[in-house]
Amino acid sequence: MPTETFTEERHALTIESKTIGGDAIEGKSIRANIPSGDLADKWQNFKDHAGLVSPANRKKLRVIVVGTGLAGASLAATLGEMGYQVLSFCFQDSPRRAHSVAAQGGVNACKNYKNDGDSIYRMFYDTIKGGDFRAREANVYRLAECSRLLIDQAVAQGVPFAREYSGYLNNRSFGGVQVSRTFYARGQTGQQLLLGAYQALMRQVNAGTVKLYAQHEMLDLVTIDGKAAGIIARNLLTGEIERHAAHVVVLATGGYGKIYYLSTLAMGCNASAIWRAHKKGAFMASTSWIQFHPTSLPQLGEHQSKLTLMSESLRNDGRIWVPKKQNDSRAPNDIPENERDYYLERRYPSFGNLAPRDISSRAAKERIDAGYGVGPQKNAVYLDFSHAIKAQGKKKIAEKYGNLFDMYRKITGIDAYEEPMMISPSAHFTMGGLWVDYDLMTTIPGLFAAGEANFADHGANRLGANSLLQACVDGYFIAPYTIANYLSNKIKTELPSASHQAFNEAEANVKAQLDMFVKIRGDKTAETFHKELGRLLYDYCGLSRNRDGLKTAIKKIRDLKDEFYARLMIPEEAITLNIELEKAGRVADYFEIGELMCYDALTREESCGAHFREEYQTPDGEAMRNDDDFRFISAWEWNNGQAPILHKESLEFESVKLAERSYK
Amino acid sequence: MKLRLKIWRQDSATAQGMFKTYTLDNLEKGMSFLEMLDVLNQQLVTKGERPVVFDHDCREGICGTCGMMINGRAHGPIGGITTCQLHLRSFNDGDELTIEPFRAKAFPVIKDLKIDRSAFDRIIASGGYISASTGSAPEANSILIPHDVAESAFDSAACIGCGACVATCKNGSAALFTSAKISHLAKLPQGRAEARARVVKMVEQMDKEGFGHCTNTEACEAECPMGVSVLNIAQMNWEYNKALLLGA
């Protein structure tokens, strides 16, 4: 295999244009730069032939990593261990608080410890199918291949995964698969994996290879001659604007599910880093593919700020049902067995309560919309453990899910050992994100995206316990190789100068925007606008979408955005700790992302995975894919605020046969 | 319901702080405590006033960002939860709540209820890890860890780094936080190799940051949202003495 395949020329692309759905413009097809060879050999081929940087040269090369979740912390730590100069940024007050910490259920790996027929290929196939055949084969295969290494790495770091009495690692099963490949640390797997990565990161901070910038928010990407050259960041404690130059910039800033306001995400989660990189030329892919988690707690009141997630692992032992009678107001325990509709078991007998997330969420919405919802606002379904408690005993259930039952009681005041939980779908994970090639590099040379911030591995629907995996694998095992490959011919390249004109301009633009926000002095808070945008998106670009609704949404979002720039209120000045100003910048970006989500959903005239277009469904209400016309990834180019430009990456399936995705 | 809130307001790290009183009406029992502060802030900002700055993020009790003293107790009147998990049903109509930042010498106030807990990061950086660089790990099942040992290590590792233990301790001691990490790693076979060096470095850093000493009042365990046990402190002392006797 020729090594020149791996140089950066392969990232070049050209643009032609014609108008498509709505007023979006179609550009040219783009390539993912997938190495040649058999599917199982591609990653090894890449590693065998990729460019390297010698240990002596690594210390001359600087990498900025934005975000300290699993992808960012693992990457920054790994690059530090290798000897690069790393600058690590996070908006939180400590890297340990990034939102990976909240992932509960587990992390997948095809170790086949349960001897139940698991393999790299089977995990690859489950993930491709789970994503409704809208992910790249080569990326997904690599994800499965590297999953085994991750478990080894995490155990070595001291992550206390669940164990059998013999001392061997334990597994459980998760939605969308028929094997047990999920490793877990009670209901706090994300926390424990993140602490492992955080500790590795802090070890490098101590060693001096990583410099940590906590409470800093990236507000722009700086490019020089079309290549990433650094970032503009705001020190959130002082409001000061800083310039940071580097040879490579990596965005590991997570997803943008918080755009819906009510979501399972943390309050500070935002998309500003990836969006501002998008406006500097990085394409955004599959922007409307957003997963609604089926087992979150329902909205209870108007001031609610988030929807707490209950791990999907609960569906291993919990059975989901609604009353067979509409508007049944009896208490759940008063409804006899024969008057309960276990609708997932009824519709999907072979997967039952472990049907994948998109299908489970849509099935819940279908029942709720049809008038079978439960709870005070009739916006929930039951998740019932009474059968499991009878069969296994309360102690066993408490050991598996004790902290989740405790959490449920704290929030709702209800004891789930005695009566069923109430759950409801909530905005959760963004399969969409920055478009990246096989190397995790965006369309801007030198700008990489890792973890949920990129779009790469999950297709149109992510399987449970694959997000921790993807974030870790990107950071520990993939980006360190692909970044080295990119840097291998730049060992003599000087660090870009932070006093370059491009930095001056980027900093001036950032300051001008902040001043503009502060000077509006209107009468509405950023949060009020965020809530209104969130409601719009839930209604028009949520669990289901249709043509007219999406067109309406684009108009309404533009109107709301105009109102935002006329009526926003921010007390205090820009150069100080200013929490309202932080929110304003994030919400301003959400308007633009929301609009792109609608364009993305509008131009994809099929249903696939989490993207459900009402016009494209089977008679029994299942998603209807259109492989002839839509077997591609939509990669969007920013068009200076005009209708966006769509570039297509065709998806080639050589190792799997496209099939109707059935869990019946 | 109606609540009177006496909230600590402080413009900056160097400014003099003071309590200001706000009254909120039409609150719902099902609201979370932080959602109540959101409501207050929306009202303040709409009037052009500076909102109350407080630490918060995940709002489900796991990131460890939030934390304040509510009527003199870290994370409020209910045990075993973080501030974000506290709901107004824990209070009565007409109650007055005194809301202050976590206070300790090593946790300086930044603004209002927001504090600087970077000392915790420096304690971890001093040695709170197993030095297993990426790529060096052996096959996971080659390290056998009995179920009970793994569970016990998990109990120590569950710490979320919120700082309630420090805030509630009359000495401002970080013994529970530091010992939880020391014990988590010392209990595991893969963490034993560095156990002696680790405990010495972490205790030294803890002292350097200005945290007080532990005098076994066990208030930390009572206020810890994750129920981290003071037995971790006993293990830290045992590891520390072992290291001193046998050499780090």
Side-chain angles (χ1 to χ4, degrees):
Chain A
M1 159 168 289
T3 44
E4 59 268 28
T5 323
F6 300 120
T7 60
E8 76 191 68
E9 286 82 70
R10 64 203 187 100
H11 300 287
L13 51 93
T14 52
I15 291 163
E16 309 161 336
S17 64
K18 69 175 186 193
T19 305
I20 47 162
D23 51 351
I25 297 163
E26 181 169 342
K28 198 166 166 68
S29 61
I30 52 177
R31 288 180 305 131
N33 308 312
I34 295 164
S36 57
D38 289 342
L39 184 63
D41 302 329
K42 287 178 190 292
W43 180 232
Q44 192 57 48
N45 280 346
F46 179 94
K47 289 192 287 184
D48 288 346
H49 299 281
L52 296 173
V53 179
S54 75
N57 286 324
R58 292 177 201 158
K59 61 177 179 288
K60 301 177 197 158
L61 296 167
R62 181 178 290 178
V63 181
I64 285 175
V65 182
V66 185
T68 59
L70 272 172
S74 61
L75 176 60
T78 302
L79 293 175
E81 289 161 5
M82 293 165 82
Y84 293 100
Q85 293 175 39
V86 183
L87 310 185
S88 162
F89 291 80
C90 66
F91 73 79
Q92 296 88 350
D93 75 337
S94 164
R96 66 180 291 153
R97 310 203 195 281
H99 198 54
S100 303
V101 78
Q104 297 169 353
V107 58
N108 288 332
C110 51
K111 286 282 200 182
N112 196 30
Y113 286 161
K114 290 284 184 189
N115 194 31
D116 55 2
D118 205 2
S119 66
I120 294 175
Y121 184 85
R122 192 176 295 278
M123 182 169 177
F124 153 77
Y125 186 79
D126 286 343
T127 304
I128 285 275
K129 178 187 171 194
D132 214 354
F133 303 94
R134 288 293 176 266
R136 263 182 221 148
E137 279 190 340
N139 281 60
V140 176
Y141 195 90
R142 179 176 64 182
L143 178 77
E145 188 179 343
C146 295
S147 69
R148 296 171 169 178
L149 295 173
L150 170 66
I151 301 307
D152 300 343
Q153 181 63 29
V155 166
Q157 290 172 343
V159 171
F161 285 126
R163 300 271 172 169
E164 310 271 11
Y165 283 94
S166 55
Y168 289 99
L169 285 150
N170 202 355
N171 294 114
R172 60 185 169 200
S173 50
F174 246 58
V177 304
Q178 290 167 311
V179 295
S180 287
R181 67 162 73 100
T182 306
F183 293 77
Y184 62 101
R186 285 189 212 157
Q188 289 159 239
T189 316
Q191 181 207 21
Q192 293 306 316
L193 282 171
L194 183 64
L195 290 178
Y198 157 75
Q199 288 160 203
L201 175 69
M202 296 315 287
R203 174 174 161 238
Q204 293 310 308
V205 170
N206 197 40
T209 58
V210 177
K211 190 155 188 233
L212 187 63
Y213 293 86
Q215 313 207 67
H216 277 64
E217 181 159 63
M218 168 178 157
L219 290 183
D220 209 358
L221 175 79
V222 181
T223 57
I224 296 176
D225 300 330
K227 293 193 178 106
I231 64 169
I232 304 293
R234 184 167 178 269
N235 179 332
L236 299 180
L237 293 180
T238 63
E240 281 156 354
I241 304 298
E242 299 172 2
R243 304 170 180 205
H244 297 277
H247 294 89
V248 161
V249 176
V250 187
L251 303 185
T253 52
Y256 48 90
K258 185 70 191 164
I259 194 169
Y260 290 89
Y261 190 76
L262 282 175
S263 77
T264 62
L265 278 80
M267 300 305 285
C269 288
N270 69 83
S272 288
I274 60 169
W275 189 250
R276 289 171 193 213
H278 172 65
K279 290 171 87 167
K280 282 288 175 82
F283 293 0
M284 277 284 284
S286 317
T287 322
S288 70
W289 291 355
I290 294 177
Q291 178 169 80
F292 287 74
H293 199 292
T295 55
S296 113
L297 299 190
Q299 181 176 8
L300 299 167
E302 85 170 290
H303 297 295
Q304 195 147 341
S305 55
K306 83 161 283 168
L307 298 173
T308 302
L309 181 72
M310 304 304 288
S311 168
E312 172 168 314
S313 62
L314 291 169
R315 293 199 275 145
N316 269 298
D317 288 302
R319 295 179 69 195
I320 293 172
W321 61 275
V322 291
K324 281 185 178 165
K325 211 167 70 184
Q326 283 173 320
N327 296 313
D328 195 330
S329 52
R330 286 176 292 177
N333 289 342
D334 294 340
I335 300 176
E337 197 59 34
N338 62 358
E339 292 179 41
R340 300 175 175 191
D341 176 16
Y342 295 90
Y343 59 87
L344 282 177
E345 297 171 22
R346 169 170 60 78
R347 286 181 66 180
Y348 307 101
S350 66
F351 281 71
N353 295 296
L354 285 175
R357 291 179 177 178
D358 53 339
I359 286 172
S360 305
S361 287
R362 233 170 5 249
K365 179 177 157 58
E366 189 275 327
R367 285 291 84 185
I368 291 167
D369 289 349
Y372 298 92
V374 299
Q377 306 209 13
K378 301 283 176 206
N379 59 352
V381 299
Y382 289 126
L383 178 61
D384 194 336
F385 292 88
S386 56
H387 303 86
I389 290 171
K390 224 173 272 167
Q392 303 171 38
K394 188 175 165 183
K395 187 163 172 278
K396 190 79 194 159
I397 295 299
E399 190 176 297
K400 287 194 217 175
Y401 313 111
N403 66 321
L404 297 169
F405 279 53
D406 288 349
M407 187 195 276
Y408 185 77
R409 187 178 38 76
K410 286 169 194 169
I411 294 169
T412 62
I414 296 170
D415 180 357
Y417 294 106
E418 299 298 327
E419 66 176 276
M421 288 183 179
M422 280 181 285
I423 55 163
S424 187
S426 164
H428 180 55
F429 182 90
T430 45
M431 280 74 72
L434 286 177
W435 185 88
V436 289
D437 65 4
Y438 186 75
D439 301 12
L440 306 183
M441 186 144 105
T442 68
T443 48
I444 299 176
L447 178 71
F448 293 73
E452 193 179 346
N454 73 32
F455 87 103
D457 297 349
H458 307 295
N461 172 57
R462 177 176 65 75
L463 289 184
N466 265 358
S467 70
L468 291 180
L469 173 67
Q470 184 226 340
C472 290
V473 160
D474 282 2
Y476 286 120
F477 303 114
I478 298 171
Y481 288 93
T482 62
I483 289 172
N485 179 59
Y486 172 80
L487 287 171
S488 61
N489 60 4
K490 292 175 187 59
I491 50 173
K492 294 211 170 68
T493 309
E494 291 282 312
L495 183 71
S497 162
S499 49
H500 188 282
Q501 184 59 22
F503 275 93
N504 296 343
E505 279 169 22
E507 185 185 301
N509 288 339
V510 162
K511 285 180 169 168
Q513 191 199 34
L514 296 172
D515 288 339
M516 183 263 294
F517 287 143
V518 166
K519 284 193 182 125
I520 298 172
R521 296 274 167 199
D523 59 353
K524 273 177 82 168
T525 64
E527 196 148 300
T528 314
F529 285 106
H530 192 174
K531 284 182 181 176
E532 287 176 33
L533 175 66
R535 265 193 298 270
L536 266 174
L537 290 171
Y538 261 107
D539 287 346
Y540 295 110
C541 197
L543 270 164
S544 64
R545 302 98 189 254
N546 65 59
R547 190 174 295 107
D548 291 341
L550 290 163
K551 286 184 174 166
T552 308
I554 291 174
K555 194 183 165 305
K556 287 189 173 198
I557 292 170
R558 286 179 184 161
D559 291 345
L560 190 63
K561 181 177 157 186
D562 289 344
E563 192 191 335
F564 172 84
Y565 284 101
R567 294 182 59 188
L568 176 69
M569 175 65 204
I570 292 175
E572 299 184 279
E573 297 311 309
I575 308 173
T576 183
L577 192 166
N578 189 333
I579 54 176
E580 292 300 310
L581 185 58
E582 291 165 25
K583 285 186 216 163
R586 295 166 189 170
V587 174
D589 293 336
Y590 282 145
F591 288 124
E592 295 172 354
I593 300 169
E595 196 178 314
L596 184 59
M597 279 164 55
C598 294
Y599 272 110
D600 186 61
L602 184 64
T603 49
R604 183 164 288 274
E605 295 174 332
E606 65 164 349
S607 294
C608 58
H611 169 66
F612 190 77
R613 280 282 297 265
E614 289 157 13
E615 302 96 319
Y616 309 102
Q617 55 180 310
T618 61
D620 52 353
E622 302 297 335
M624 206 159 70
R625 240 176 37 228
N626 175 351
D627 292 328
D628 291 339
D629 300 319
F630 291 93
R631 206 190 67 242
F632 62 81
I633 293 297
S634 302
W636 295 93
E637 183 184 359
W638 173 249
N639 191 19
N640 292 314
Q642 305 298 307
I645 302 167
L646 171 65
H647 304 274
K648 294 177 180 175
E649 179 200 332
S650 179
L651 292 170
E652 306 304 330
F653 292 93
E654 293 164 358
S655 304
V656 302
K657 220 174 116 237
L658 289 174
E660 191 194 332
R661 180 168 165 255
S662 170
Y663 291 91
K664 296 183 171 173
Chain B
M1 66 191 286
K2 186 172 174 174
L3 290 173
R4 258 165 67 83
L5 310 174
K6 245 176 83 181
I7 301 179
W8 183 260
R9 302 303 307 263
Q10 184 174 333
D11 284 339
S12 69
T14 49
Q16 179 81 41
M18 56 144 118
F19 282 106
K20 276 185 93 168
T21 304
Y22 305 88
T23 304
L24 286 181
D25 211 344
N26 299 320
L27 298 167
E28 299 153 22
K29 287 249 172 206
M31 282 169 76
S32 77
F33 182 86
L34 295 186
E35 283 160 5
M36 173 191 69
L37 291 183
D38 290 342
V39 169
L40 171 65
N41 275 349
Q42 295 304 299
Q43 291 179 6
L44 291 174
V45 173
T46 309
K47 287 189 285 184
E49 290 176 33
R50 183 167 84 65
V52 179
V53 178
F54 61 94
D55 288 308
H56 67 105
D57 201 26
C58 80
R59 298 208 174 182
E60 52 186 274
I62 193 70
C63 73
T65 312
C66 69
M68 45 194 92
M69 301 299 278
I70 300 161
N71 288 344
R73 286 194 61 186
H75 295 306
I78 312 282
I81 58 170
T82 55
T83 304
C84 65
Q85 292 174 307
L86 181 62
H87 285 70
L88 299 193
R89 74 177 81 90
S90 299
F91 303 103
N92 299 312
D93 190 25
D95 278 359
E96 177 173 286
L97 311 183
T98 304
I99 304 167
E100 293 173 84
F102 280 177
R103 294 188 194 275
K105 184 181 167 197
F107 286 170
V109 172
I110 294 171
K111 198 169 187 171
D112 298 335
L113 305 171
K114 182 179 177 64
I115 56 164
D116 178 357
R117 283 167 294 192
S118 56
F120 274 4
D121 286 329
R122 291 187 292 273
I123 291 175
I124 298 297
S126 72
Y129 43 75
I130 292 170
S131 302
S133 294
T134 304
S136 56
E139 152 60 36
N141 256 347
S142 65
I143 305 171
L144 293 187
I145 303 171
H147 176 268
D148 295 349
V149 174
E151 293 295 308
S152 169
F154 182 99
D155 288 338
S156 302
C159 167
I160 57 174
C162 65
C165 49
V166 176
T168 199
C169 175
K170 63 179 179 149
N171 306 319
S173 166
L176 192 67
F177 169 82
T178 310
S179 68
K181 188 48 62 190
I182 288 168
S183 302
H184 158 214
L185 300 176
K187 283 170 183 172
L188 296 171
Q190 61 272 46
R192 284 308 313 173
E194 296 171 285
R196 288 188 208 159
R198 178 184 304 122
V199 68
V200 171
K201 286 188 284 189
M202 288 180 74
V203 167
E204 190 181 312
Q205 188 67 34
M206 175 176 79
D207 290 344
K208 212 155 78 184
E209 295 290 347
F211 291 106
H213 285 276
C214 173
T215 50
N216 299 317
T217 66
E218 303 187 12
C220 51
E221 182 183 305
E223 296 293 49
C224 174
M226 305 309 282
V228 174
S229 163
V230 291
L231 290 177
N232 288 293
I233 302 179
Q235 174 149 13
M236 171 172 75
N237 292 337
W238 159 244
E239 297 287 342
Y240 187 74
N241 288 323
K242 227 170 20 171
L244 288 192
L245 275 172
L246 303 174

